[in-house]
PDB file of all heavy atoms in Angstrom:
ATOM      1  N   ILE A   1      -7.584 -10.481  -3.644  1.00  0.00           N
ATOM      2  CA  ILE A   1      -8.034  -9.119  -3.191  1.00  0.00           C
ATOM      3  C   ILE A   1      -8.062  -8.140  -4.316  1.00  0.00           C
ATOM      4  O   ILE A   1      -7.146  -8.022  -5.112  1.00  0.00           O
ATOM      5  CB  ILE A   1      -7.095  -8.586  -2.068  1.00  0.00           C
ATOM      6  CG1 ILE A   1      -7.062  -9.545  -0.890  1.00  0.00           C
ATOM      7  CG2 ILE A   1      -7.391  -7.261  -1.627  1.00  0.00           C
ATOM      8  CD1 ILE A   1      -6.001  -9.351   0.145  1.00  0.00           C
ATOM      9  N   ASN A   2      -9.256  -7.566  -4.503  1.00  0.00           N
ATOM     10  CA  ASN A   2      -9.455  -6.659  -5.637  1.00  0.00           C
ATOM     11  C   ASN A   2      -9.276  -5.218  -5.305  1.00  0.00           C
ATOM     12  O   ASN A   2      -9.693  -4.690  -4.274  1.00  0.00           O
ATOM     13  CB  ASN A   2     -10.912  -6.778  -6.060  1.00  0.00           C
ATOM     14  CG  ASN A   2     -11.028  -7.822  -7.201  1.00  0.00           C
ATOM     15  OD1 ASN A   2     -10.303  -7.753  -8.135  1.00  0.00           O
ATOM     16  ND2 ASN A   2     -11.971  -8.730  -7.081  1.00  0.00           N
ATOM     17  N   PHE A   3      -8.556  -4.487  -6.129  1.00  0.00           N
ATOM     18  CA  PHE A   3      -8.337  -3.042  -5.978  1.00  0.00           C
ATOM     19  C   PHE A   3      -8.897  -2.301  -7.151  1.00  0.00           C
ATOM     20  O   PHE A   3      -8.824  -2.827  -8.293  1.00  0.00           O
ATOM     21  CB  PHE A   3      -6.868  -2.770  -5.801  1.00  0.00           C
ATOM     22  CG  PHE A   3      -6.199  -3.383  -4.596  1.00  0.00           C
ATOM     23  CD1 PHE A   3      -5.614  -4.624  -4.701  1.00  0.00           C
ATOM     24  CD2 PHE A   3      -6.175  -2.665  -3.374  1.00  0.00           C
ATOM     25  CE1 PHE A   3      -4.957  -5.225  -3.569  1.00  0.00           C
ATOM     26  CE2 PHE A   3      -5.583  -3.226  -2.271  1.00  0.00           C
ATOM     27  CZ  PHE A   3      -4.911  -4.480  -2.347  1.00  0.00           C
ATOM     28  N   THR A   4      -9.249  -1.091  -6.901  1.00  0.00           N
ATOM     29  CA  THR A   4      -9.483  -0.068  -7.991  1.00  0.00           C
ATOM     30  C   THR A   4      -8.299   0.767  -8.040  1.00  0.00           C
ATOM     31  O   THR A   4      -7.848   1.442  -7.102  1.00  0.00           O
ATOM     32  CB  THR A   4     -10.755   0.749  -7.693  1.00  0.00           C
ATOM     33  OG1 THR A   4     -11.903  -0.093  -7.708  1.00  0.00           O
ATOM     34  CG2 THR A   4     -10.868   1.885  -8.702  1.00  0.00           C
ATOM     35  N   LEU A   5      -7.581   0.716  -9.176  1.00  0.00           N
ATOM     36  CA  LEU A   5      -6.281   1.518  -9.319  1.00  0.00           C
ATOM     37  C   LEU A   5      -6.470   2.513 -10.386  1.00  0.00           C
ATOM     38  O   LEU A   5      -7.423   2.467 -11.215  1.00  0.00           O
ATOM     39  CB  LEU A   5      -5.199   0.613  -9.550  1.00  0.00           C
ATOM     40  CG  LEU A   5      -4.878  -0.453  -8.545  1.00  0.00           C
ATOM     41  CD1 LEU A   5      -3.653  -1.342  -8.914  1.00  0.00           C
ATOM     42  CD2 LEU A   5      -4.638   0.103  -7.144  1.00  0.00           C
ATOM     43  N   LEU A   6      -5.529   3.494 -10.462  1.00  0.00           N
ATOM     44  CA  LEU A   6      -5.517   4.561 -11.476  1.00  0.00           C
ATOM     45  C   LEU A   6      -4.287   4.582 -12.305  1.00  0.00           C
ATOM     46  O   LEU A   6      -3.165   4.597 -11.769  1.00  0.00           O
ATOM     47  CB  LEU A   6      -5.718   5.923 -10.789  1.00  0.00           C
ATOM     48  CG  LEU A   6      -6.983   6.174  -9.974  1.00  0.00           C
ATOM     49  CD1 LEU A   6      -6.899   7.513  -9.239  1.00  0.00           C
ATOM     50  CD2 LEU A   6      -8.206   6.168 -10.868  1.00  0.00           C
ATOM     51  N   LYS A   7      -4.463   4.735 -13.613  1.00  0.00           N
ATOM     52  CA  LYS A   7      -3.274   4.903 -14.492  1.00  0.00           C
ATOM     53  C   LYS A   7      -2.913   6.409 -14.518  1.00  0.00           C
ATOM     54  O   LYS A   7      -1.789   6.820 -14.671  1.00  0.00           O
ATOM     55  CB  LYS A   7      -3.677   4.546 -15.950  1.00  0.00           C
ATOM     56  CG  LYS A   7      -3.011   3.289 -16.414  1.00  0.00           C
ATOM     57  CD  LYS A   7      -3.406   3.034 -17.858  1.00  0.00           C
ATOM     58  CE  LYS A   7      -3.374   1.502 -18.079  1.00  0.00           C
ATOM     59  NZ  LYS A   7      -3.935   1.063 -19.303  1.00  0.00           N
ATOM     60  N   GLU A   8      -3.966   7.224 -14.331  1.00  0.00           N
ATOM     61  CA  GLU A   8      -3.853   8.718 -14.393  1.00  0.00           C
ATOM     62  C   GLU A   8      -5.102   9.187 -13.738  1.00  0.00           C
ATOM     63  O   GLU A   8      -6.017   8.410 -13.509  1.00  0.00           O
ATOM     64  CB  GLU A   8      -3.787   8.966 -15.899  1.00  0.00           C
ATOM     65  CG  GLU A   8      -3.512  10.480 -16.375  1.00  0.00           C
ATOM     66  CD  GLU A   8      -2.578  11.304 -15.566  1.00  0.00           C
ATOM     67  OE1 GLU A   8      -3.009  11.743 -14.437  1.00  0.00           O
ATOM     68  OE2 GLU A   8      -1.481  11.609 -16.017  1.00  0.00           O
ATOM     69  N   VAL A   9      -5.155  10.425 -13.378  1.00  0.00           N
ATOM     70  CA  VAL A   9      -6.440  10.991 -12.849  1.00  0.00           C
ATOM     71  C   VAL A   9      -7.530  10.715 -13.767  1.00  0.00           C
ATOM     72  O   VAL A   9      -7.441  11.113 -14.866  1.00  0.00           O
ATOM     73  CB  VAL A   9      -6.302  12.503 -12.504  1.00  0.00           C
ATOM     74  CG1 VAL A   9      -7.586  13.071 -12.008  1.00  0.00           C
ATOM     75  CG2 VAL A   9      -5.149  12.723 -11.455  1.00  0.00           C
ATOM     76  N   GLY A  10      -8.583  10.057 -13.332  1.00  0.00           N
ATOM     77  CA  GLY A  10      -9.730   9.773 -14.165  1.00  0.00           C
ATOM     78  C   GLY A  10      -9.616   8.558 -15.082  1.00  0.00           C
ATOM     79  O   GLY A  10     -10.549   8.173 -15.767  1.00  0.00           O
ATOM     80  N   ASP A  11      -8.369   7.933 -15.156  1.00  0.00           N
ATOM     81  CA  ASP A  11      -8.214   6.738 -16.012  1.00  0.00           C
ATOM     82  C   ASP A  11      -8.223   5.527 -15.026  1.00  0.00           C
ATOM     83  O   ASP A  11      -7.142   5.219 -14.406  1.00  0.00           O
ATOM     84  CB  ASP A  11      -6.877   6.898 -16.751  1.00  0.00           C
ATOM     85  CG  ASP A  11      -6.697   5.763 -17.752  1.00  0.00           C
ATOM     86  OD1 ASP A  11      -7.505   4.822 -17.752  1.00  0.00           O
ATOM     87  OD2 ASP A  11      -5.719   5.894 -18.599  1.00  0.00           O
ATOM     88  N   ILE A  12      -9.358   4.875 -14.976  1.00  0.00           N
ATOM     89  CA  ILE A  12      -9.601   3.932 -13.877  1.00  0.00           C
ATOM     90  C   ILE A  12      -9.310   2.427 -14.357  1.00  0.00           C
ATOM     91  O   ILE A  12      -9.708   2.077 -15.397  1.00  0.00           O
ATOM     92  CB  ILE A  12     -11.024   4.055 -13.388  1.00  0.00           C
ATOM     93  CG1 ILE A  12     -11.323   5.507 -12.899  1.00  0.00           C
ATOM     94  CG2 ILE A  12     -11.404   2.997 -12.367  1.00  0.00           C
ATOM     95  CD1 ILE A  12     -12.722   5.933 -13.104  1.00  0.00           C
ATOM     96  N   CYS A  13      -8.585   1.707 -13.502  1.00  0.00           N
ATOM     97  CA  CYS A  13      -8.385   0.270 -13.797  1.00  0.00           C
ATOM     98  C   CYS A  13      -9.022  -0.549 -12.754  1.00  0.00           C
ATOM     99  O   CYS A  13      -8.662  -0.523 -11.562  1.00  0.00           O
ATOM    100  CB  CYS A  13      -6.836  -0.021 -13.724  1.00  0.00           C
ATOM    101  SG  CYS A  13      -5.829   0.949 -14.832  1.00  0.00           S
ATOM    102  N   LEU A  14     -10.134  -1.177 -13.177  1.00  0.00           N
ATOM    103  CA  LEU A  14     -10.927  -2.012 -12.188  1.00  0.00           C
ATOM    104  C   LEU A  14     -10.320  -3.384 -12.026  1.00  0.00           C
ATOM    105  O   LEU A  14      -9.556  -3.906 -12.826  1.00  0.00           O
ATOM    106  CB  LEU A  14     -12.441  -2.118 -12.722  1.00  0.00           C
ATOM    107  CG  LEU A  14     -13.101  -0.829 -12.955  1.00  0.00           C
ATOM    108  CD1 LEU A  14     -14.476  -1.146 -13.584  1.00  0.00           C
ATOM    109  CD2 LEU A  14     -13.302  -0.086 -11.705  1.00  0.00           C
ATOM    110  N   ASN A  15     -10.751  -4.072 -10.874  1.00  0.00           N
ATOM    111  CA  ASN A  15     -10.469  -5.502 -10.700  1.00  0.00           C
ATOM    112  C   ASN A  15      -8.997  -5.825 -10.748  1.00  0.00           C
ATOM    113  O   ASN A  15      -8.551  -6.787 -11.381  1.00  0.00           O
ATOM    114  CB  ASN A  15     -11.214  -6.394 -11.644  1.00  0.00           C
ATOM    115  CG  ASN A  15     -12.705  -6.148 -11.550  1.00  0.00           C
ATOM    116  OD1 ASN A  15     -13.244  -5.919 -10.482  1.00  0.00           O
ATOM    117  ND2 ASN A  15     -13.362  -6.135 -12.721  1.00  0.00           N
ATOM    118  N   GLN A  16      -8.136  -4.950 -10.217  1.00  0.00           N
ATOM    119  CA  GLN A  16      -6.756  -5.214 -10.131  1.00  0.00           C
ATOM    120  C   GLN A  16      -6.409  -6.011  -8.896  1.00  0.00           C
ATOM    121  O   GLN A  16      -6.966  -5.795  -7.857  1.00  0.00           O
ATOM    122  CB  GLN A  16      -5.952  -3.887 -10.065  1.00  0.00           C
ATOM    123  CG  GLN A  16      -6.246  -2.937 -11.304  1.00  0.00           C
ATOM    124  CD  GLN A  16      -5.699  -3.514 -12.598  1.00  0.00           C
ATOM    125  OE1 GLN A  16      -4.535  -3.875 -12.743  1.00  0.00           O
ATOM    126  NE2 GLN A  16      -6.611  -3.748 -13.525  1.00  0.00           N
ATOM    127  N   THR A  17      -5.425  -6.912  -9.023  1.00  0.00           N
ATOM    128  CA  THR A  17      -5.048  -7.736  -7.820  1.00  0.00           C
ATOM    129  C   THR A  17      -3.608  -7.496  -7.503  1.00  0.00           C
ATOM    130  O   THR A  17      -2.847  -7.009  -8.325  1.00  0.00           O
ATOM    131  CB  THR A  17      -5.284  -9.197  -8.133  1.00  0.00           C
ATOM    132  OG1 THR A  17      -4.559  -9.548  -9.234  1.00  0.00           O
ATOM    133  CG2 THR A  17      -6.774  -9.477  -8.352  1.00  0.00           C
ATOM    134  N   ALA A  18      -3.267  -7.852  -6.299  1.00  0.00           N
ATOM    135  CA  ALA A  18      -1.835  -7.706  -5.848  1.00  0.00           C
ATOM    136  C   ALA A  18      -1.552  -8.912  -4.929  1.00  0.00           C
ATOM    137  O   ALA A  18      -2.348  -9.295  -4.165  1.00  0.00           O
ATOM    138  CB  ALA A  18      -1.626  -6.376  -5.125  1.00  0.00           C
ATOM    139  N   ASP A  19      -0.288  -9.422  -5.081  1.00  0.00           N
ATOM    140  CA  ASP A  19      -0.053 -10.586  -4.210  1.00  0.00           C
ATOM    141  C   ASP A  19       0.402 -10.108  -2.810  1.00  0.00           C
ATOM    142  O   ASP A  19       0.547  -8.936  -2.577  1.00  0.00           O
ATOM    143  CB  ASP A  19       1.074 -11.500  -4.835  1.00  0.00           C
ATOM    144  CG  ASP A  19       2.357 -10.699  -5.027  1.00  0.00           C
ATOM    145  OD1 ASP A  19       2.674  -9.753  -4.306  1.00  0.00           O
ATOM    146  OD2 ASP A  19       3.140 -11.173  -5.954  1.00  0.00           O
ATOM    147  N   LYS A  20       0.501 -11.057  -1.884  1.00  0.00           N
ATOM    148  CA  LYS A  20       0.792 -10.729  -0.467  1.00  0.00           C
ATOM    149  C   LYS A  20       2.105  -9.926  -0.335  1.00  0.00           C
ATOM    150  O   LYS A  20       2.103  -8.944   0.437  1.00  0.00           O
ATOM    151  CB  LYS A  20       0.868 -12.019   0.319  1.00  0.00           C
ATOM    152  CG  LYS A  20       0.773 -11.830   1.803  1.00  0.00           C
ATOM    153  CD  LYS A  20       0.707 -13.287   2.394  1.00  0.00           C
ATOM    154  CE  LYS A  20       0.455 -13.248   3.858  1.00  0.00           C
ATOM    155  NZ  LYS A  20       0.269 -14.499   4.518  1.00  0.00           N
ATOM    156  N   ASP A  21       3.104 -10.291  -1.076  1.00  0.00           N
ATOM    157  CA  ASP A  21       4.340  -9.559  -0.918  1.00  0.00           C
ATOM    158  C   ASP A  21       4.205  -8.092  -1.336  1.00  0.00           C
ATOM    159  O   ASP A  21       4.758  -7.197  -0.624  1.00  0.00           O
ATOM    160  CB  ASP A  21       5.500 -10.229  -1.811  1.00  0.00           C
ATOM    161  CG  ASP A  21       5.972 -11.580  -1.146  1.00  0.00           C
ATOM    162  OD1 ASP A  21       5.587 -11.852  -0.031  1.00  0.00           O
ATOM    163  OD2 ASP A  21       6.626 -12.293  -1.952  1.00  0.00           O
ATOM    164  N   THR A  22       3.520  -7.844  -2.413  1.00  0.00           N
ATOM    165  CA  THR A  22       3.263  -6.430  -2.879  1.00  0.00           C
ATOM    166  C   THR A  22       2.497  -5.645  -1.845  1.00  0.00           C
ATOM    167  O   THR A  22       2.750  -4.502  -1.647  1.00  0.00           O
ATOM    168  CB  THR A  22       2.629  -6.500  -4.261  1.00  0.00           C
ATOM    169  OG1 THR A  22       3.328  -7.394  -5.117  1.00  0.00           O
ATOM    170  CG2 THR A  22       2.538  -5.131  -4.871  1.00  0.00           C
ATOM    171  N   ILE A  23       1.475  -6.349  -1.267  1.00  0.00           N
ATOM    172  CA  ILE A  23       0.605  -5.716  -0.301  1.00  0.00           C
ATOM    173  C   ILE A  23       1.473  -5.291   0.940  1.00  0.00           C
ATOM    174  O   ILE A  23       1.356  -4.187   1.489  1.00  0.00           O
ATOM    175  CB  ILE A  23      -0.622  -6.548   0.042  1.00  0.00           C
ATOM    176  CG1 ILE A  23      -1.551  -6.541  -1.148  1.00  0.00           C
ATOM    177  CG2 ILE A  23      -1.311  -6.087   1.325  1.00  0.00           C
ATOM    178  CD1 ILE A  23      -2.707  -7.526  -1.138  1.00  0.00           C
ATOM    179  N   TYR A  24       2.301  -6.186   1.365  1.00  0.00           N
ATOM    180  CA  TYR A  24       3.190  -5.923   2.452  1.00  0.00           C
ATOM    181  C   TYR A  24       4.208  -4.834   2.170  1.00  0.00           C
ATOM    182  O   TYR A  24       4.515  -3.958   3.050  1.00  0.00           O
ATOM    183  CB  TYR A  24       3.903  -7.156   3.034  1.00  0.00           C
ATOM    184  CG  TYR A  24       3.004  -8.107   3.760  1.00  0.00           C
ATOM    185  CD1 TYR A  24       1.588  -8.074   3.571  1.00  0.00           C
ATOM    186  CD2 TYR A  24       3.503  -9.077   4.614  1.00  0.00           C
ATOM    187  CE1 TYR A  24       0.750  -8.996   4.266  1.00  0.00           C
ATOM    188  CE2 TYR A  24       2.653  -9.941   5.317  1.00  0.00           C
ATOM    189  CZ  TYR A  24       1.252  -9.862   5.086  1.00  0.00           C
ATOM    190  OH  TYR A  24       0.505 -10.717   5.827  1.00  0.00           O
ATOM    191  N   GLU A  25       4.669  -4.773   0.912  1.00  0.00           N
ATOM    192  CA  GLU A  25       5.483  -3.659   0.494  1.00  0.00           C
ATOM    193  C   GLU A  25       4.810  -2.354   0.576  1.00  0.00           C
ATOM    194  O   GLU A  25       5.357  -1.314   0.920  1.00  0.00           O
ATOM    195  CB  GLU A  25       6.006  -3.827  -1.016  1.00  0.00           C
ATOM    196  CG  GLU A  25       7.242  -4.534  -1.198  1.00  0.00           C
ATOM    197  CD  GLU A  25       7.365  -4.960  -2.642  1.00  0.00           C
ATOM    198  OE1 GLU A  25       7.118  -4.062  -3.534  1.00  0.00           O
ATOM    199  OE2 GLU A  25       7.770  -6.087  -2.954  1.00  0.00           O
ATOM    200  N   MET A  26       3.453  -2.361   0.164  1.00  0.00           N
ATOM    201  CA  MET A  26       2.612  -1.209   0.214  1.00  0.00           C
ATOM    202  C   MET A  26       2.502  -0.698   1.632  1.00  0.00           C
ATOM    203  O   MET A  26       2.553   0.515   1.917  1.00  0.00           O
ATOM    204  CB  MET A  26       1.288  -1.582  -0.370  1.00  0.00           C
ATOM    205  CG  MET A  26       0.164  -0.558  -0.222  1.00  0.00           C
ATOM    206  SD  MET A  26      -1.448  -1.296  -0.659  1.00  0.00           S
ATOM    207  CE  MET A  26      -1.809  -2.203   0.908  1.00  0.00           C
ATOM    208  N   PHE A  27       2.356  -1.590   2.600  1.00  0.00           N
ATOM    209  CA  PHE A  27       2.269  -1.207   4.004  1.00  0.00           C
ATOM    210  C   PHE A  27       3.603  -0.608   4.491  1.00  0.00           C
ATOM    211  O   PHE A  27       3.608   0.427   5.200  1.00  0.00           O
ATOM    212  CB  PHE A  27       1.968  -2.438   4.910  1.00  0.00           C
ATOM    213  CG  PHE A  27       0.517  -2.980   4.838  1.00  0.00           C
ATOM    214  CD1 PHE A  27       0.308  -4.326   4.975  1.00  0.00           C
ATOM    215  CD2 PHE A  27      -0.522  -2.127   4.591  1.00  0.00           C
ATOM    216  CE1 PHE A  27      -0.980  -4.829   4.857  1.00  0.00           C
ATOM    217  CE2 PHE A  27      -1.853  -2.591   4.471  1.00  0.00           C
ATOM    218  CZ  PHE A  27      -2.056  -4.019   4.574  1.00  0.00           C
ATOM    219  N   ASP A  28       4.692  -1.149   4.004  1.00  0.00           N
ATOM    220  CA  ASP A  28       5.987  -0.566   4.326  1.00  0.00           C
ATOM    221  C   ASP A  28       6.072   0.881   3.765  1.00  0.00           C
ATOM    222  O   ASP A  28       6.561   1.792   4.469  1.00  0.00           O
ATOM    223  CB  ASP A  28       7.181  -1.337   3.631  1.00  0.00           C
ATOM    224  CG  ASP A  28       7.426  -2.724   4.438  1.00  0.00           C
ATOM    225  OD1 ASP A  28       7.006  -2.802   5.567  1.00  0.00           O
ATOM    226  OD2 ASP A  28       8.070  -3.588   3.842  1.00  0.00           O
ATOM    227  N   PHE A  29       5.710   1.011   2.491  1.00  0.00           N
ATOM    228  CA  PHE A  29       5.706   2.391   1.838  1.00  0.00           C
ATOM    229  C   PHE A  29       4.848   3.410   2.697  1.00  0.00           C
ATOM    230  O   PHE A  29       5.265   4.463   3.008  1.00  0.00           O
ATOM    231  CB  PHE A  29       5.168   2.275   0.476  1.00  0.00           C
ATOM    232  CG  PHE A  29       4.907   3.675  -0.166  1.00  0.00           C
ATOM    233  CD1 PHE A  29       5.976   4.413  -0.765  1.00  0.00           C
ATOM    234  CD2 PHE A  29       3.587   4.218  -0.191  1.00  0.00           C
ATOM    235  CE1 PHE A  29       5.728   5.613  -1.285  1.00  0.00           C
ATOM    236  CE2 PHE A  29       3.366   5.479  -0.723  1.00  0.00           C
ATOM    237  CZ  PHE A  29       4.448   6.173  -1.271  1.00  0.00           C
ATOM    238  N   TYR A  30       3.649   2.899   3.084  1.00  0.00           N
ATOM    239  CA  TYR A  30       2.734   3.769   3.812  1.00  0.00           C
ATOM    240  C   TYR A  30       3.373   4.239   5.128  1.00  0.00           C
ATOM    241  O   TYR A  30       3.395   5.449   5.460  1.00  0.00           O
ATOM    242  CB  TYR A  30       1.393   3.037   4.165  1.00  0.00           C
ATOM    243  CG  TYR A  30       0.545   3.786   5.063  1.00  0.00           C
ATOM    244  CD1 TYR A  30      -0.292   4.742   4.589  1.00  0.00           C
ATOM    245  CD2 TYR A  30       0.655   3.568   6.474  1.00  0.00           C
ATOM    246  CE1 TYR A  30      -1.167   5.511   5.491  1.00  0.00           C
ATOM    247  CE2 TYR A  30      -0.173   4.391   7.328  1.00  0.00           C
ATOM    248  CZ  TYR A  30      -1.064   5.217   6.847  1.00  0.00           C
ATOM    249  OH  TYR A  30      -1.823   5.992   7.677  1.00  0.00           O
ATOM    250  N   ARG A  31       3.955   3.284   5.879  1.00  0.00           N
ATOM    251  CA  ARG A  31       4.512   3.653   7.225  1.00  0.00           C
ATOM    252  C   ARG A  31       5.699   4.567   7.021  1.00  0.00           C
ATOM    253  O   ARG A  31       5.877   5.450   7.854  1.00  0.00           O
ATOM    254  CB  ARG A  31       4.887   2.363   7.949  1.00  0.00           C
ATOM    255  CG  ARG A  31       3.652   1.619   8.462  1.00  0.00           C
ATOM    256  CD  ARG A  31       4.024   0.285   9.066  1.00  0.00           C
ATOM    257  NE  ARG A  31       4.853   0.442  10.205  1.00  0.00           N
ATOM    258  CZ  ARG A  31       5.846  -0.384  10.542  1.00  0.00           C
ATOM    259  NH1 ARG A  31       6.062  -1.491   9.764  1.00  0.00           N
ATOM    260  NH2 ARG A  31       6.646  -0.190  11.569  1.00  0.00           N
ATOM    261  N   GLU A  32       6.532   4.377   5.994  1.00  0.00           N
ATOM    262  CA  GLU A  32       7.703   5.196   5.760  1.00  0.00           C
ATOM    263  C   GLU A  32       7.277   6.602   5.396  1.00  0.00           C
ATOM    264  O   GLU A  32       7.767   7.605   5.882  1.00  0.00           O
ATOM    265  CB  GLU A  32       8.561   4.573   4.700  1.00  0.00           C
ATOM    266  CG  GLU A  32       9.897   5.064   4.612  1.00  0.00           C
ATOM    267  CD  GLU A  32      10.780   4.400   3.573  1.00  0.00           C
ATOM    268  OE1 GLU A  32      10.680   3.078   3.483  1.00  0.00           O
ATOM    269  OE2 GLU A  32      11.508   5.037   2.884  1.00  0.00           O
ATOM    270  N   CYS A  33       6.395   6.757   4.366  1.00  0.00           N
ATOM    271  CA  CYS A  33       6.095   8.068   3.836  1.00  0.00           C
ATOM    272  C   CYS A  33       5.176   8.890   4.828  1.00  0.00           C
ATOM    273  O   CYS A  33       5.257  10.087   4.848  1.00  0.00           O
ATOM    274  CB  CYS A  33       5.576   7.946   2.454  1.00  0.00           C
ATOM    275  SG  CYS A  33       3.769   7.632   2.371  1.00  0.00           S
TER     276      CYS A  33
END
């Protein structure tokens, strides 16, 4: 799964990937915050 991520506003990191555990942690973070 490919993501576009940011190091800083305007500093773009293309073709970033994340494993399943990290993606599920991300969902946890979303629901909590």
Side-chain angles (χ1 to χ4, degrees):
I1 298 168
N2 266 311
F3 296 92
T4 292
L5 303 180
L6 297 175
K7 252 184 210 168
E8 187 35 286
V9 175
D11 188 352
I12 299 149
C13 303
L14 301 176
N15 304 322
Q16 301 294 303
T17 58
D19 61 25
K20 196 173 188 176
D21 288 347
T22 308
I23 287 170
Y24 285 22
E25 269 171 43
M26 172 192 79
F27 290 146
D28 285 341
F29 169 84
Y30 171 87
R31 288 175 58 217
E32 194 177 319
C33 81

